[in-house]
Amino acid sequence: MKDLLVGDIGGTNARFALWRDNQLHAVQVFATADYTSPEQAIEAYLGAQGIARGGLAAVCLAVAGPVDGDEFRFTNNHWRLSRRAFCQTLQVEHLQLINDFSAMALGMTRLRDGEFRQVCAGEADASRPALVIGPGTGLGVGSLLRLGEQRWLALPGEGGHVDLPVGNAREAAIQQQMHRQIGHVSAETVLSGGGLVRLYQAMCALDGDSPRHASPAQITDAALGGEPRALAVVEQFCRFLGRVAGNNVLTLGARGGVYIVGGVIPRFTELFLRSGFAASFADKGCMSEYFNGVPVWLVTAEFSGLLGAGVALQQTLEH
């Protein structure tokens, strides 16, 4: 019997695994810079697993960007992919491309104990959408709908590019400071790795301070070390995330819960859990009570995108 392969391809790394018995097997991570194409990287993976060309029945790859048409150009690395050429080269019968954040959303259906932390207590309503939001290189926003027993639909969108919401005079001043520098201020302008640096620079400018840090890692390290300025920036980052997540919950009716994913928040998990995120999340005036009982989780699972690709492939092959 031929194997099923799943992949989650980012700007720096490509993760591959075999999908067997509804689970990931033999996960390996490859640096995209070391290979000229996804086909070359996958052949290296198959070689390591002792699988010959032609040994795959189907492949599902999670990729950043729209997935229509035969040609796909990766937005954050040098790879390109032609569906037709891919299938011919690897002798694959079926190739499925899925938006990377759709895969991330579907991965939430396979979380295990120890792979998430509770941020806000509540009981998820399985009949309502769930929100998946993730500050990372950018800000990913998607929704997850339960269609029935073991059937799910992930709806990707561009919710990271909505206007940055403000809730008080200080936040309005931060937004205006950024607007003077770059023009339109989206949620992603702040809620991303690079956004943390922009937020730090804006807050320093407002308070007449000279910036001392130039990277997200330096800011988070300083915050973890107790530096007041860096702590204030991280706190404001968490509050902005709460406002954006809360807006999306109201728009979607996402009483199925909120999953916070991405690489930024796990850098300062304990600070996040003690932050004003929850207060800002529900700070919606006459609609604040709507958030009573909406659960929020911080996801720490390592391979959610890969798992989601597996779920997508399995659903496709079963129907």
Coordinates of all heavy atoms in Angstrom, one line a residue, residues 56-136:
L56 N 4.3 7.2 -3.2 CA 3.2 8.0 -2.5 C 1.9 7.9 -3.3 O 1.9 8.1 -4.5 CB 3.7 9.4 -2.4 CG 4.9 9.7 -1.6 CD1 5.3 11.2 -1.6 CD2 4.7 9.3 -0.1
A57 N 0.8 7.7 -2.6 CA -0.5 7.8 -3.2 C -1.0 9.2 -3.3 O -1.7 9.6 -4.2 CB -1.5 6.9 -2.4
A58 N -0.7 10.0 -2.2 CA -1.2 11.4 -2.2 C -0.3 12.2 -1.3 O 0.3 11.7 -0.4 CB -2.7 11.4 -1.7
V59 N -0.3 13.5 -1.6 CA 0.4 14.5 -0.8 C -0.5 15.7 -0.5 O -1.2 16.1 -1.4 CB 1.7 15.0 -1.6 CG1 2.4 16.1 -0.9 CG2 2.6 13.8 -1.9
C60 N -0.4 16.2 0.7 CA -1.0 17.5 1.1 C 0.0 18.4 1.6 O 0.7 18.1 2.6 CB -2.2 17.3 2.1 SG -3.0 18.8 2.5
L61 N 0.2 19.6 1.0 CA 1.1 20.6 1.5 C 0.4 21.8 2.0 O -0.5 22.4 1.3 CB 2.1 21.0 0.3 CG 2.9 19.8 -0.3 CD1 3.8 20.4 -1.4 CD2 3.8 19.1 0.8
A62 N 0.7 22.3 3.2 CA 0.2 23.5 3.7 C 1.2 24.6 3.3 O 2.4 24.6 3.6 CB 0.1 23.5 5.2
V63 N 0.7 25.6 2.6 CA 1.5 26.7 2.0 C 0.9 28.1 2.3 O -0.3 28.2 2.4 CB 1.7 26.5 0.5 CG1 2.5 25.2 0.2 CG2 0.4 26.5 -0.2
A64 N 1.8 29.1 2.3 CA 1.3 30.4 2.6 C 0.9 31.1 1.3 O 1.7 31.3 0.4 CB 2.4 31.2 3.3
G65 N -0.4 31.4 1.2 CA -0.9 32.1 0.0 C -2.1 31.4 -0.6 O -2.5 30.3 -0.2
P66 N -2.7 32.1 -1.6 CA -3.8 31.5 -2.3 C -3.4 30.3 -3.1 O -2.3 30.2 -3.7 CB -4.3 32.6 -3.2 CG -3.1 33.5 -3.4 CD -2.3 33.4 -2.1
V67 N -4.2 29.3 -3.2 CA -3.8 28.0 -3.8 C -4.6 27.6 -5.0 O -4.8 26.4 -5.3 CB -3.9 26.8 -2.7 CG1 -2.9 27.1 -1.6 CG2 -5.3 26.8 -2.2
D68 N -5.1 28.6 -5.8 CA -5.8 28.3 -7.0 C -4.8 28.1 -8.2 O -3.7 28.7 -8.2 CB -6.8 29.4 -7.3 CG -7.8 29.6 -6.2 OD1 -8.2 28.6 -5.7 OD2 -8.2 30.8 -6.0
G69 N -5.2 27.4 -9.2 CA -4.4 27.2 -10.4 C -3.3 26.2 -10.3 O -3.1 25.6 -9.2
D70 N -2.6 26.0 -11.4 CA -1.5 25.0 -11.4 C -0.3 25.5 -10.8 O 0.4 24.8 -10.1 CB -1.2 24.6 -12.9 CG -0.1 23.6 -13.0 OD1 -0.3 22.4 -12.6 OD2 1.0 24.0 -13.4
E71 N 0.1 26.8 -11.0 CA 1.3 27.3 -10.5 C 1.2 27.9 -9.1 O 0.2 28.7 -8.9 CB 1.9 28.4 -11.5 CG 2.2 27.9 -12.9 CD 3.5 27.1 -12.9 OE1 4.3 27.3 -12.0 OE2 3.7 26.4 -13.9
F72 N 2.1 27.6 -8.3 CA 2.1 28.3 -6.9 C 3.5 28.8 -6.7 O 4.5 28.1 -6.8 CB 1.7 27.3 -5.8 CG 1.7 27.9 -4.5 CD1 0.6 28.6 -4.0 CD2 2.8 27.8 -3.6 CE1 0.6 29.2 -2.8 CE2 2.8 28.5 -2.4 CZ 1.6 29.1 -2.0
R73 N 3.6 30.1 -6.3 CA 4.9 30.7 -5.9 C 4.8 31.0 -4.4 O 4.0 31.7 -3.9 CB 5.1 32.0 -6.7 CG 6.4 32.7 -6.3 CD 6.5 34.0 -7.1 NE 6.7 33.7 -8.5 CZ 6.9 34.7 -9.4 NH1 7.0 35.9 -9.0 NH2 7.0 34.3 -10.7
F74 N 5.8 30.4 -3.7 CA 5.9 30.6 -2.3 C 6.2 32.0 -1.9 O 7.1 32.6 -2.5 CB 6.9 29.6 -1.7 CG 6.5 28.2 -1.7 CD1 6.7 27.5 -2.9 CD2 5.9 27.5 -0.7 CE1 6.3 26.1 -3.0 CE2 5.5 26.2 -0.8 CZ 5.7 25.5 -1.9
T75 N 5.4 32.6 -1.0 CA 5.6 34.0 -0.7 C 6.8 34.4 0.1 O 7.2 35.5 0.1 CB 4.3 34.5 0.0 OG1 4.2 33.8 1.2 CG2 3.1 34.4 -0.8
N76 N 7.3 33.4 0.8 CA 8.4 33.8 1.7 C 9.7 32.9 1.6 O 10.5 32.8 2.5 CB 7.9 33.8 3.2 CG 7.1 32.5 3.5 OD1 7.1 31.6 2.7 ND2 6.5 32.6 4.7
N77 N 9.8 32.2 0.5 CA 11.0 31.5 0.1 C 11.1 31.5 -1.4 O 10.3 32.0 -2.1 CB 11.2 30.2 0.8 CG 10.2 29.1 0.2 OD1 9.9 29.0 -1.0 ND2 9.6 28.4 1.1
H78 N 12.2 30.9 -1.9 CA 12.5 30.9 -3.4 C 11.8 29.8 -4.1 O 12.0 29.7 -5.4 CB 14.0 30.9 -3.6 CG 14.6 29.6 -3.1 ND1 14.8 29.3 -1.7 CD2 15.1 28.5 -3.7 CE1 15.4 28.1 -1.6 NE2 15.5 27.6 -2.8
W79 N 11.1 29.0 -3.5 CA 10.5 27.8 -4.2 C 9.3 28.2 -5.1 O 8.6 29.2 -4.8 CB 10.0 26.8 -3.2 CG 11.1 26.0 -2.5 CD1 12.5 26.1 -2.8 CD2 11.0 25.0 -1.5 NE1 13.2 25.2 -2.0 CE2 12.3 24.6 -1.2 CE3 9.9 24.5 -0.8 CZ2 12.5 23.6 -0.2 CZ3 10.1 23.5 0.2 CH2 11.4 23.1 0.4
R80 N 9.1 27.4 -6.1 CA 7.9 27.5 -6.9 C 7.4 26.1 -7.1 O 8.2 25.1 -7.0 CB 8.2 28.1 -8.3 CG 8.6 29.6 -8.2 CD 8.7 30.2 -9.6 NE 9.1 31.6 -9.6 CZ 9.2 32.4 -10.6 NH1 8.9 31.9 -11.8 NH2 9.6 33.6 -10.5
L81 N 6.1 25.9 -7.5 CA 5.6 24.6 -7.6 C 4.5 24.6 -8.7 O 3.6 25.5 -8.8 CB 4.9 24.1 -6.3 CG 4.3 22.7 -6.2 CD1 4.5 22.2 -4.8 CD2 2.9 22.7 -6.6
S82 N 4.6 23.6 -9.6 CA 3.6 23.4 -10.6 C 2.9 22.0 -10.2 O 3.6 21.0 -10.1 CB 4.2 23.2 -12.0 OG 3.3 22.5 -12.9
R83 N 1.6 22.1 -10.0 CA 1.0 20.8 -9.6 C 1.3 19.7 -10.6 O 1.5 18.6 -10.2 CB -0.5 21.1 -9.6 CG -1.0 22.1 -8.5 CD -2.5 22.3 -8.6 NE -3.0 23.4 -7.8 CZ -3.6 23.2 -6.6 NH1 -3.8 22.0 -6.2 NH2 -4.1 24.2 -5.9
R84 N 1.2 20.0 -11.9 CA 1.4 19.0 -12.9 C 2.8 18.4 -12.9 O 3.0 17.2 -12.8 CB 1.1 19.6 -14.3 CG 1.1 18.5 -15.4 CD 0.8 19.2 -16.8 NE -0.5 19.9 -16.7 CZ -0.7 21.2 -16.7 NH1 0.4 22.0 -16.6 NH2 -1.9 21.7 -16.7
A85 N 3.8 19.3 -12.8 CA 5.2 18.9 -12.8 C 5.5 18.1 -11.5 O 6.2 17.1 -11.5 CB 6.1 20.1 -13.0
F86 N 4.9 18.6 -10.4 CA 5.2 17.9 -9.1 C 4.7 16.5 -9.2 O 5.4 15.5 -8.8 CB 4.4 18.7 -8.0 CG 4.6 18.1 -6.6 CD1 5.5 18.7 -5.7 CD2 3.8 17.1 -6.2 CE1 5.6 18.2 -4.5 CE2 3.9 16.6 -4.9 CZ 4.8 17.1 -4.0
C87 N 3.5 16.3 -9.7 CA 2.9 14.9 -9.7 C 3.7 14.0 -10.7 O 3.9 12.8 -10.4 CB 1.5 14.9 -10.1 SG 0.4 15.6 -8.8
Q88 N 4.2 14.6 -11.7 CA 5.0 13.8 -12.7 C 6.4 13.4 -12.1 O 6.8 12.3 -12.2 CB 5.2 14.6 -14.0 CG 3.9 14.7 -14.8 CD 4.1 15.6 -16.0 OE1 5.1 16.3 -16.2 NE2 3.1 15.6 -17.0
T89 N 7.0 14.4 -11.5 CA 8.3 14.2 -10.9 C 8.3 13.1 -9.8 O 9.2 12.2 -9.8 CB 8.9 15.5 -10.4 OG1 9.0 16.4 -11.4 CG2 10.3 15.3 -9.8
L90 N 7.4 13.2 -8.9 CA 7.3 12.3 -7.8 C 6.4 11.1 -8.0 O 6.3 10.3 -7.1 CB 6.9 13.1 -6.5 CG 7.8 14.2 -6.0 CD1 7.3 14.9 -4.8 CD2 9.2 13.6 -5.7
Q91 N 5.8 11.1 -9.2 CA 4.9 10.0 -9.5 C 3.8 9.8 -8.5 O 3.5 8.8 -7.9 CB 5.7 8.7 -9.7 CG 6.7 8.7 -10.8 CD 7.6 7.5 -10.9 OE1 7.1 6.4 -10.5 NE2 8.8 7.7 -11.4
V92 N 3.2 11.0 -8.2 CA 2.1 11.1 -7.2 C 0.7 11.1 -7.9 O 0.6 11.8 -8.9 CB 2.3 12.3 -6.3 CG1 1.1 12.4 -5.3 CG2 3.6 12.2 -5.5
E93 N -0.2 10.4 -7.4 CA -1.5 10.4 -8.0 C -2.4 11.6 -7.6 O -3.2 12.0 -8.4 CB -2.3 9.1 -7.6 CG -1.5 7.8 -8.0 CD -2.1 6.6 -7.2 OE1 -3.2 6.7 -6.7 OE2 -1.4 5.5 -7.3
H94 N -2.2 12.2 -6.4 CA -3.0 13.3 -6.0 C -2.2 14.2 -5.1 O -1.5 13.8 -4.2 CB -4.1 12.7 -5.1 CG -5.0 13.8 -4.4 ND1 -6.0 14.4 -5.1 CD2 -4.9 14.3 -3.1 CE1 -6.5 15.3 -4.2 NE2 -5.9 15.2 -3.1
L95 N -2.2 15.5 -5.5 CA -1.6 16.6 -4.7 C -2.7 17.6 -4.3 O -3.4 18.1 -5.1 CB -0.5 17.3 -5.6 CG 0.0 18.6 -5.0 CD1 0.8 18.3 -3.7 CD2 0.9 19.3 -6.0
Q96 N -2.7 17.9 -3.0 CA -3.6 18.8 -2.4 C -2.8 20.0 -1.8 O -1.9 19.7 -1.0 CB -4.5 18.2 -1.4 CG -5.5 19.1 -0.7 CD -6.4 18.4 0.2 OE1 -6.3 17.1 0.4 NE2 -7.3 19.1 0.9
L97 N -3.1 21.2 -2.2 CA -2.5 22.4 -1.6 C -3.5 23.0 -0.7 O -4.7 23.2 -1.1 CB -2.0 23.4 -2.6 CG -0.9 22.9 -3.6 CD1 -0.5 24.0 -4.5 CD2 0.3 22.3 -2.8
I98 N -3.1 23.4 0.5 CA -4.0 24.0 1.4 C -3.4 25.2 2.0 O -2.2 25.2 2.3 CB -4.5 23.0 2.5 CG1 -5.4 23.7 3.5 CG2 -3.3 22.4 3.3 CD1 -6.0 22.7 4.6
N99 N -4.1 26.3 2.2 CA -3.6 27.5 2.9 C -3.0 27.1 4.2 O -3.6 26.4 5.0 CB -4.7 28.5 3.0 CG -4.3 29.8 3.8 OD1 -4.4 29.8 5.0 ND2 -3.7 30.7 3.1
D100 N -1.9 27.7 4.6 CA -1.2 27.3 5.8 C -2.0 27.6 7.0 O -1.9 26.8 8.0 CB 0.2 28.0 5.9 CG 0.1 29.5 5.9 OD1 -0.9 30.1 5.5 OD2 1.1 30.1 6.3
F101 N -2.8 28.7 7.0 CA -3.6 28.9 8.2 C -4.8 28.1 8.3 O -5.3 27.8 9.4 CB -3.9 30.4 8.3 CG -3.8 30.9 9.8 CD1 -2.6 31.1 10.4 CD2 -5.0 31.0 10.5 CE1 -2.6 31.5 11.7 CE2 -4.9 31.4 11.9 CZ -3.7 31.6 12.5
S102 N -5.3 27.7 7.1 CA -6.4 26.7 7.2 C -5.9 25.4 7.8 O -6.6 24.7 8.6 CB -6.9 26.4 5.8 OG -7.6 27.5 5.2
A103 N -4.6 25.0 7.4 CA -4.0 23.8 8.0 C -3.9 24.0 9.5 O -4.1 23.1 10.3 CB -2.7 23.5 7.4
M104 N -3.4 25.2 9.9 CA -3.2 25.4 11.4 C -4.6 25.3 12.1 O -4.7 24.7 13.2 CB -2.7 26.9 11.6 CG -2.5 27.3 13.0 SD -1.2 26.3 13.8 CE 0.3 27.0 13.1
A105 N -5.6 25.8 11.5 CA -7.0 25.7 12.1 C -7.4 24.3 12.3 O -7.9 23.9 13.3 CB -8.0 26.5 11.3
L106 N -7.2 23.5 11.2 CA -7.6 22.1 11.3 C -6.8 21.3 12.3 O -7.2 20.4 12.9 CB -7.5 21.5 9.9 CG -8.5 21.9 8.8 CD1 -8.1 21.4 7.5 CD2 -9.9 21.4 9.2
G107 N -5.5 21.8 12.5 CA -4.7 21.1 13.5 C -5.2 21.3 14.9 O -4.9 20.4 15.8
M108 N -6.1 22.2 15.1 CA -6.7 22.4 16.5 C -7.6 21.2 16.8 O -7.8 21.0 18.0 CB -7.4 23.7 16.6 CG -6.6 25.0 16.3 SD -5.2 25.2 17.4 CE -3.9 24.6 16.4
T109 N -8.0 20.5 15.8 CA -8.9 19.4 16.1 C -8.2 18.1 16.6 O -8.8 17.1 17.0 CB -9.7 19.0 14.8 OG1 -8.8 18.4 13.9 CG2 -10.4 20.2 14.2
R110 N -6.8 18.2 16.6 CA -6.0 17.1 17.0 C -5.1 17.4 18.2 O -4.2 16.7 18.5 CB -5.2 16.6 15.9 CG -5.9 16.0 14.7 CD -6.6 14.7 15.1 NE -7.1 13.9 14.0 CZ -8.2 14.1 13.4 NH1 -9.1 15.0 13.9 NH2 -8.6 13.4 12.3
L111 N -5.4 18.5 19.0 CA -4.6 18.8 20.1 C -4.7 17.8 21.2 O -5.8 17.2 21.4 CB -5.1 20.2 20.7 CG -4.8 21.4 19.9 CD1 -5.3 22.7 20.5 CD2 -3.3 21.6 19.6
R112 N -3.6 17.5 21.9 CA -3.6 16.6 23.0 C -3.3 17.3 24.3 O -2.8 18.4 24.3 CB -2.5 15.5 22.7 CG -2.8 14.7 21.5 CD -1.7 13.7 21.2 NE -0.5 14.3 20.9 CZ 0.6 13.6 20.5 NH1 0.6 12.3 20.4 NH2 1.7 14.2 20.2
D113 N -3.5 16.6 25.4 CA -3.2 17.2 26.7 C -1.7 17.6 26.8 O -0.9 16.9 26.3 CB -3.5 16.2 27.8 CG -5.0 15.9 28.0 OD1 -5.8 16.8 27.5 OD2 -5.3 14.9 28.7
G114 N -1.5 18.8 27.3 CA -0.1 19.3 27.4 C 0.3 20.2 26.3 O 1.4 20.7 26.3
E115 N -0.6 20.3 25.3 CA -0.2 21.1 24.1 C -1.0 22.4 24.0 O -0.9 23.1 23.0 CB -0.5 20.3 22.8 CG 0.4 19.1 22.6 CD 0.1 18.3 21.3 OE1 -1.0 18.4 20.8 OE2 1.1 17.7 20.8
F116 N -1.6 22.8 25.1 CA -2.3 24.1 25.2 C -2.4 24.5 26.7 O -2.4 23.6 27.6 CB -3.7 24.0 24.5 CG -4.6 22.9 25.1 CD1 -5.5 23.2 26.1 CD2 -4.5 21.7 24.5 CE1 -6.3 22.3 26.6 CE2 -5.4 20.7 25.0 CZ -6.3 21.0 26.1
R117 N -2.6 25.8 26.9 CA -2.8 26.4 28.2 C -4.1 27.1 28.2 O -4.4 27.9 27.3 CB -1.6 27.3 28.6 CG -0.2 26.7 28.6 CD 0.0 26.0 29.9 NE 0.0 26.9 31.1 CZ 1.0 27.6 31.5 NH1 2.2 27.6 30.9 NH2 0.9 28.4 32.6
Q118 N -4.8 27.1 29.3 CA -6.1 27.8 29.4 C -5.7 29.3 29.7 O -5.0 29.6 30.6 CB -7.0 27.3 30.4 CG -8.3 28.0 30.6 CD -9.2 27.3 31.5 OE1 -9.9 26.3 31.2 NE2 -9.3 27.8 32.8
V119 N -6.3 30.2 28.9 CA -6.2 31.6 29.2 C -7.4 32.2 29.8 O -7.4 33.0 30.8 CB -5.9 32.4 27.8 CG1 -5.7 33.9 28.1 CG2 -4.6 31.8 27.2
C120 N -8.6 31.9 29.2 CA -9.9 32.3 29.8 C -10.7 31.0 29.9 O -10.9 30.2 29.0 CB -10.6 33.3 28.8 SG -9.7 34.8 28.6
A121 N -11.3 30.9 31.1 CA -12.2 29.7 31.3 C -13.5 29.8 30.6 O -14.0 30.9 30.3 CB -12.4 29.5 32.8
G122 N -14.1 28.7 30.2 CA -15.4 28.6 29.6 C -15.6 27.3 29.0 O -14.8 26.3 29.1
E123 N -16.8 27.2 28.4 CA -17.2 25.9 27.8 C -17.5 26.2 26.3 O -18.4 27.0 25.9 CB -18.5 25.4 28.4 CG -18.9 24.0 28.0 CD -18.0 22.9 28.5 OE1 -17.4 23.1 29.6 OE2 -17.9 21.9 27.8
A124 N -16.7 25.5 25.4 CA -16.9 25.7 24.0 C -18.2 25.2 23.5 O -18.7 24.1 23.9 CB -15.8 25.1 23.2
D125 N -18.9 26.0 22.7 CA -20.2 25.6 22.0 C -19.8 25.0 20.7 O -19.4 25.7 19.7 CB -21.1 26.8 21.8 CG -22.4 26.4 21.2 OD1 -22.6 25.3 20.7 OD2 -23.3 27.3 21.3
A126 N -19.9 23.6 20.6 CA -19.5 22.9 19.4 C -20.3 23.3 18.2 O -19.9 23.0 17.0 CB -19.5 21.4 19.7
S127 N -21.4 23.9 18.3 CA -22.3 24.2 17.2 C -21.9 25.6 16.6 O -22.4 26.0 15.6 CB -23.7 24.2 17.6 OG -24.0 25.3 18.5
R128 N -20.9 26.3 17.3 CA -20.6 27.6 16.8 C -19.1 27.6 16.3 O -18.3 26.8 16.6 CB -20.7 28.6 18.0 CG -22.1 28.7 18.6 CD -23.2 29.2 17.6 NE -23.0 30.6 17.3 CZ -23.4 31.6 18.1 NH1 -24.1 31.3 19.2 NH2 -23.3 32.8 17.8
P129 N -18.8 28.6 15.5 CA -17.4 28.7 15.0 C -16.4 28.9 16.1 O -16.7 29.4 17.2 CB -17.4 29.9 14.1 CG -18.8 30.2 13.8 CD -19.6 29.7 15.0
A130 N -15.2 28.4 15.9 CA -14.0 28.7 16.7 C -13.1 29.7 16.0 O -13.0 29.6 14.7 CB -13.3 27.5 17.1
L131 N -12.4 30.5 16.7 CA -11.4 31.5 16.1 C -10.0 31.0 16.3 O -9.7 30.5 17.4 CB -11.6 32.9 16.8 CG -10.5 33.9 16.4 CD1 -10.7 34.3 15.0 CD2 -10.6 35.1 17.4
V132 N -9.2 31.0 15.3 CA -7.8 30.7 15.4 C -7.0 31.9 15.0 O -7.2 32.4 13.9 CB -7.4 29.5 14.5 CG1 -6.0 29.1 14.7 CG2 -8.4 28.3 14.8
I133 N -6.2 32.4 15.9 CA -5.4 33.7 15.6 C -4.0 33.5 16.0 O -3.7 32.9 17.1 CB -6.1 34.9 16.3 CG1 -5.4 36.2 16.0 CG2 -6.2 34.6 17.8 CD1 -6.2 37.4 16.4
G134 N -3.1 34.0 15.2 CA -1.7 33.7 15.5 C -0.7 34.7 15.1 O -0.4 34.9 13.9
P135 N -0.1 35.5 16.1 CA 1.0 36.4 15.8 C 2.3 35.6 15.6 O 2.7 34.8 16.4 CB 1.1 37.2 17.1 CG -0.1 36.9 17.9 CD -0.6 35.5 17.5
G136 N 2.8 35.8 14.4 CA 4.1 35.2 14.1 C 4.9 36.1 13.1 O 5.0 37.3 13.5

